Amino acid sequence: MPNRIARPRWGHFLPELAALIVFVLLPFVLGQKTTVGGSITDLFVFAILALGLNVVVGYAGLLHLGIAAFFGIGAYIIGILTVGAYPFQLSFSAAIVLATFGAGLAGLILAAPTIRLRGDYLALVTLGFGEVVNVALKNLDAITGGMKTLNPLPPPAMPAWLSSLLHRPITFQNDYRPFYFLSLAILAGVVLLLRNLENSRLGRAWVAIREDELAATCLGIPATRVKLAAFALSAALAGLAGGMFATKLATTSDPHTYSFNLSITVLCCLILGGLGSIRGVLLGVLLLQGYELILVPQLDQWAHALHWSLTLKQWNLLTFGVVLILMVRFRPEGLLPSRRIQHEYHAPASNIEPKDLP
């Protein structure tokens, strides 16, 4: 039987390349002294987190409600490895790698005993794990600093050759642009990695167990190992995003940051954009997190200037809930779903042809 796996063509990457060019040029338009640039950097970090959740929920079809826990684990690992209160004091590059692997290992530890659970049971276990991690971050003061947090996290060191090339010193402290470009480069690398994984044997196996685990197992796909790989990669990407987040803030932040609310917000981004679709996930993050981090502060500033007592920030969760209800009711596949999921929702079962579907 001929191999009918569709290979990605360069034309498929044109929207991503166009978006990359726009975001590379954007800081030169915004300038140095703006808060919007820092907020867009946060969008890149949350996009990495959402892409990580998309691996386990969108590709493998496993409902995961505890992604914020791995985000927090990554943040605290890089905090412990870099702050002066501990003897390690590693460089950013070494610490971010260890934070990524550490969170991935935590994902494996969670998945190993629970991998046979499905649906609501698995969702409850991941939700409970997230709450356990959150409580531990608050109460293990001797390790995590508790509510005092770990700080200050040192910024990444700039290569000397780059400063000499630009004929001026470049620092992360007073200019958002170095971390902006660093986050954008890492996000581009994550997108490229996941694009290749989508068309790999492992990516096809994730889709197969999402569609029908019993049939996939009968065809020889090792479902347990495939799901473990999804959990580990998802947790590793969340840990990477958590490490970036903590380094940008120079603190591990309040443990409440890594609560259930964050997990649900990221899941809403996936549902809004489209489960299993990289473009959909990025669009979901841009719309939801862009609304919360960029649009709402601007609108609240205008409301304050007009002496209005009403602010949009206190209505964020209500807004997300309404968006979620409307999406599930009118467009359950999301705004930019993958072609396979779009066919599942809109084409008669007899007309679905699996060839060339991602």
Side-chain angles (χ1 to χ4, degrees), residues 95-125:
I96 196 71
V97 170
L98 290 175
T100 304
F101 278 100
L105 180 62
L108 274 179
I109 293 172
L110 169 66
T114 61
I115 205 66
R116 294 184 184 279
L117 298 177
R118 298 178 184 176
D120 297 342
Y121 297 103
L122 181 62
L124 286 173
V125 168

Coordinates of all heavy atoms in Angstrom, one line a residue, residues 95-125:
A95 N 19.1 27.1 32.9 CA 17.9 26.9 33.8 C 16.7 26.7 33.0 O 15.8 25.9 33.4 CB 17.8 28.2 34.7
I96 N 16.5 27.3 31.9 CA 15.3 27.2 31.1 C 15.2 25.7 30.5 O 14.1 25.2 30.4 CB 15.2 28.2 30.0 CG1 13.7 28.3 29.5 CG2 16.1 28.0 28.8 CD1 12.7 28.9 30.4
V97 N 16.3 25.2 30.2 CA 16.4 23.8 29.7 C 16.0 22.8 30.8 O 15.1 21.9 30.6 CB 17.8 23.4 29.1 CG1 17.8 21.9 28.8 CG2 18.0 24.2 27.8
L98 N 16.5 23.1 32.0 CA 16.2 22.2 33.1 C 14.7 22.4 33.6 O 14.1 21.4 34.0 CB 17.1 22.5 34.3 CG 18.6 22.0 34.1 CD1 19.5 22.5 35.2 CD2 18.7 20.5 33.9
A99 N 14.2 23.6 33.5 CA 12.8 23.8 33.8 C 11.9 23.1 32.8 O 10.9 22.5 33.2 CB 12.5 25.3 33.8
T100 N 12.3 23.1 31.6 CA 11.5 22.4 30.5 C 11.5 20.9 30.8 O 10.4 20.2 30.8 CB 12.0 22.7 29.1 OG1 12.1 24.1 28.9 CG2 11.2 22.0 28.1
F101 N 12.7 20.3 31.0 CA 12.7 18.9 31.3 C 12.1 18.5 32.7 O 11.5 17.5 32.8 CB 14.2 18.4 31.3 CG 14.7 18.2 29.9 CD1 15.5 19.1 29.2 CD2 14.4 17.0 29.2 CE1 15.9 18.9 27.9 CE2 14.8 16.8 27.9 CZ 15.6 17.7 27.3
G102 N 12.3 19.4 33.6 CA 11.7 19.1 35.0 C 10.1 19.1 34.9 O 9.5 18.2 35.5
A103 N 9.5 20.0 34.2 CA 8.1 20.0 34.0 C 7.6 18.8 33.2 O 6.6 18.2 33.5 CB 7.6 21.3 33.3
G104 N 8.4 18.5 32.2 CA 8.1 17.3 31.4 C 8.1 16.0 32.2 O 7.3 15.1 32.1
L105 N 9.1 15.9 33.1 CA 9.2 14.8 34.0 C 8.0 14.7 35.0 O 7.4 13.7 35.3 CB 10.5 14.9 34.8 CG 10.8 13.7 35.8 CD1 10.9 12.4 35.1 CD2 12.1 14.0 36.6
A106 N 7.6 15.9 35.5 CA 6.4 16.0 36.3 C 5.2 15.5 35.6 O 4.3 14.8 36.1 CB 6.2 17.4 36.9
G107 N 5.1 15.8 34.3 CA 4.0 15.4 33.5 C 4.0 13.9 33.4 O 2.9 13.2 33.4
L108 N 5.2 13.3 33.2 CA 5.2 11.8 33.2 C 4.8 11.2 34.5 O 4.1 10.2 34.5 CB 6.7 11.4 32.8 CG 7.1 11.3 31.4 CD1 8.5 10.9 31.2 CD2 6.2 10.3 30.6
I109 N 5.3 11.8 35.6 CA 4.9 11.3 36.9 C 3.4 11.3 37.1 O 2.8 10.4 37.7 CB 5.6 12.1 38.0 CG1 7.2 11.8 37.9 CG2 5.1 11.7 39.4 CD1 8.0 12.7 38.8
L110 N 2.7 12.4 36.6 CA 1.3 12.4 36.8 C 0.6 11.4 35.8 O -0.4 10.8 36.2 CB 0.8 13.8 36.4 CG -0.7 14.0 36.2 CD1 -1.4 13.8 37.6 CD2 -1.1 15.4 35.7
A111 N 1.1 11.3 34.6 CA 0.5 10.5 33.6 C 0.6 9.0 33.9 O -0.3 8.2 33.6 CB 1.0 10.8 32.2
A112 N 1.8 8.6 34.4 CA 2.0 7.1 34.5 C 0.9 6.4 35.3 O 0.4 5.3 34.8 CB 3.4 6.9 35.2
P113 N 0.5 6.8 36.5 CA -0.5 6.0 37.2 C -2.0 6.3 36.7 O -2.9 5.6 37.1 CB -0.4 6.5 38.6 CG 0.2 7.9 38.5 CD 1.0 7.9 37.3
T114 N -2.2 7.4 35.9 CA -3.5 7.8 35.5 C -3.8 7.6 34.0 O -4.9 8.0 33.6 CB -3.7 9.2 35.9 OG1 -2.8 10.1 35.1 CG2 -3.5 9.5 37.4
I115 N -2.9 7.0 33.3 CA -3.0 7.0 31.8 C -4.2 6.2 31.3 O -4.7 6.4 30.2 CB -1.7 6.5 31.2 CG1 -1.6 7.1 29.8 CG2 -1.6 5.0 31.2 CD1 -1.4 8.5 29.7
R116 N -4.7 5.2 32.2 CA -5.8 4.4 31.7 C -7.1 5.1 32.0 O -8.2 4.6 31.5 CB -5.8 3.1 32.5 CG -4.6 2.2 32.1 CD -4.6 0.9 32.7 NE -3.4 0.1 32.4 CZ -3.2 -0.6 31.3 NH1 -4.2 -0.6 30.4 NH2 -2.1 -1.2 31.1
L117 N -7.1 6.2 32.7 CA -8.4 6.9 32.9 C -8.8 7.7 31.6 O -8.0 8.1 30.8 CB -8.2 7.9 34.1 CG -7.9 7.3 35.4 CD1 -7.7 8.4 36.5 CD2 -9.0 6.4 35.9
R118 N -10.1 7.9 31.5 CA -10.6 8.6 30.3 C -11.6 9.6 30.7 O -12.2 9.6 31.8 CB -11.3 7.6 29.3 CG -10.3 6.5 28.8 CD -11.1 5.6 27.9 NE -10.2 4.5 27.5 CZ -10.6 3.5 26.7 NH1 -11.9 3.4 26.4 NH2 -9.8 2.5 26.4
G119 N -11.8 10.6 29.8 CA -12.9 11.5 29.9 C -12.9 12.3 31.2 O -11.9 12.9 31.6
D120 N -14.1 12.3 31.9 CA -14.3 13.1 33.1 C -13.3 12.7 34.2 O -12.9 13.5 35.0 CB -15.7 13.0 33.6 CG -16.7 13.6 32.5 OD1 -16.2 14.3 31.7 OD2 -17.9 13.2 32.6
Y121 N -13.0 11.4 34.3 CA -12.2 10.9 35.4 C -10.8 11.5 35.2 O -10.1 11.9 36.2 CB -12.1 9.4 35.4 CG -13.5 8.8 35.7 CD1 -14.2 8.2 34.6 CD2 -14.0 8.7 37.0 CE1 -15.5 7.6 34.9 CE2 -15.2 8.2 37.2 CZ -16.0 7.6 36.2 OH -17.2 7.1 36.4
L122 N -10.2 11.5 34.0 CA -8.9 12.0 33.8 C -8.9 13.6 34.0 O -8.0 14.1 34.6 CB -8.5 11.8 32.4 CG -7.1 12.3 32.0 CD1 -6.0 11.7 32.8 CD2 -6.8 12.0 30.5
A123 N -10.0 14.2 33.6 CA -10.1 15.7 33.9 C -10.1 16.0 35.4 O -9.4 16.9 35.8 CB -11.4 16.2 33.2
L124 N -10.8 15.1 36.2 CA -10.8 15.4 37.6 C -9.4 15.2 38.2 O -9.0 15.9 39.1 CB -11.8 14.4 38.3 CG -13.3 14.8 38.1 CD1 -14.2 13.7 38.6 CD2 -13.6 16.2 38.7
V125 N -8.7 14.2 37.8 CA -7.4 13.9 38.3 C -6.4 15.1 38.0 O -5.7 15.5 38.8 CB -6.8 12.6 37.7 CG1 -5.3 12.4 38.0 CG2 -7.6 11.4 38.3

